[in-house]
Amino acid sequence: LSPDPRWAMRPAPESLAEARDAWLRGQYTQMQRLIDEARQDDPHVPEAWILEARSAFERNQTDWIFSTVNDGLKHHPRHPDLLGLRAY
């Protein structure tokens, strides 16, 4: 019995690691560009949605938080981190 490929662990795109570094440095414009790159590389990577929502939370952009989390949940309806962000 082979595992379901939808749940296989894939490495996050390299641009997502760079986006996280940009976020930690407070370079939000660069972070957003790199997140968009990561979504182009792999549109099904949940970490892109999570990072974007957390950065919006940090900047108190509530509309952007809800929009990002809901868009992420369309792609990953049972992802625990996205569900947690929506509940918060």
Side-chain angles (χ1 to χ4, degrees), residues 66-80:
F66 293 125
S67 172
T68 301
V69 170
N70 287 332
D71 288 347
L73 285 169
K74 289 177 189 173
H75 297 281
H76 310 281
R78 294 179 179 237
H79 195 281

Side-chain angles (χ1 to χ4, degrees), residues 39 48-76 81-88:
R39 284 195 193 126
W49 302 102
I50 294 165
L51 180 58
E52 185 174 3
R54 288 185 177 157
S55 72
F57 178 79
E58 185 176 280
R59 291 177 284 150
N60 200 27
Q61 297 176 329
T62 54
D63 291 339
W64 190 18
I65 298 167
F66 293 125
S67 172
T68 301
V69 170
N70 287 332
D71 288 347
L73 285 169
K74 289 177 189 173
H75 297 281
H76 310 281
D81 290 341
L82 288 169
L83 290 169
L85 286 167
R86 182 178 70 177
Y88 187 73

Side-chain angles (χ1 to χ4, degrees), residues 15-16 18-19 22 30-39:
S15 57
L16 193 56
E18 294 173 22
Q30 181 182 5
M31 177 213 66
Q32 187 61 50
R33 182 183 55 79
L34 291 165
I35 285 175
D36 292 341
E37 266 182 45
R39 284 195 193 126

